[in-house]
Amino acid sequence: MNNKPYIIELPKIKDPRGNLSFLEEGKHIPFIIARTYWIYDVPGGEKRGGHAFKQQKEFIIALSGSFDVILNDGYKEMKYNLNRSYYGLYIPNYIWRYMDNFSTNALALIVSDQKYEQEDYIRNFEQFCNILNND
Ligand code: TYD
């Protein structure tokens, strides 16, 4: 449970025809990919997330536009503004998170080490803190 979130820089192949970035599982991100999903068309002022995962680790990239990812490890809050497609935020399990401040046309790509599993979600912040305190 004591894994920490951190920013991961991805390769950036600069090219006058347009830049290119990529990621490979186990190399640029520290897990094997089970699922990818994306969040888009977020209306101004909306929030996404508001939960933690028991197992799931994620890597979030702002493929387009920008947004904030606010994390809480049960002790302190951390805020990351993602606004480039050549780096992303690694979030281990047992970290509370939500995303807000989405720009127009923001596109968040999320790469995950788990398939979608409703039971993996912790959706109540008090319950999340209790789980951490009883660990
Ligand atoms: P959810 O993860 O709760 O979104 P957010 O945390 O941003 O509020 O997911 C919203 C809905 O989408 C929920 O009904 C489950 C569904 N969903 C899937 O079916 N598969 C997925 O991979 C994800 C991420 C969500």
Side-chain angles (χ1 to χ4, degrees):
M1 276 202 201
N2 52 11
N3 270 348
K4 293 208 180 315
Y6 57 90
I7 293 287
I8 298 175
E9 290 266 345
L10 299 171
K12 181 179 181 185
I13 314 294
K14 283 191 172 184
D15 192 308
R17 299 171 301 160
N19 299 333
L20 183 152
S21 288
F22 59 93
L23 62 83
E24 293 178 12
E25 60 184 14
K27 186 171 178 186
H28 305 107
I29 52 171
F31 55 75
I32 300 302
I33 298 167
R35 180 170 50 111
T36 301
Y37 62 96
W38 46 100
I39 295 173
Y40 55 98
D41 289 349
V42 179
E46 279 295 345
K47 283 189 167 74
R48 296 294 318 220
H51 50 70
F53 295 111
K54 296 173 201 162
Q55 300 287 335
Q56 189 166 300
K57 301 169 177 63
E58 293 191 330
F59 180 66
I60 304 181
I61 314 172
L63 277 191
S64 172
S66 66
F67 50 84
D68 292 337
V69 185
I70 295 92
L71 305 180
N72 195 310
D73 62 3
Y75 299 96
K76 64 177 191 307
E77 195 171 273
M78 298 155 271
K79 184 169 169 175
Y80 294 86
N81 178 250
L82 300 185
N83 56 14
R84 292 285 184 273
S85 56
Y86 52 82
Y87 71 84
L89 177 63
Y90 168 70
I91 310 178
N93 50 340
Y94 283 108
I95 299 284
W96 188 267
R97 94 287 310 278
Y98 67 90
M99 301 157 76
D100 71 2
N101 201 21
F102 286 87
S103 69
T104 306
N105 288 337
L107 170 59
L109 181 78
I110 299 106
V111 179
S112 162
D113 75 330
Q114 306 279 327
K115 300 238 168 96
Y116 178 73
E117 192 70 63
Q118 182 77 31
E119 288 70 37
D120 196 45
Y121 283 70
I122 306 166
R123 292 194 180 272
N124 180 294
F125 187 70
E126 203 174 311
Q127 186 195 352
F128 167 69
C129 292
N130 287 338
I131 291 171
L132 292 183
N133 289 332
N134 293 326
D135 185 44

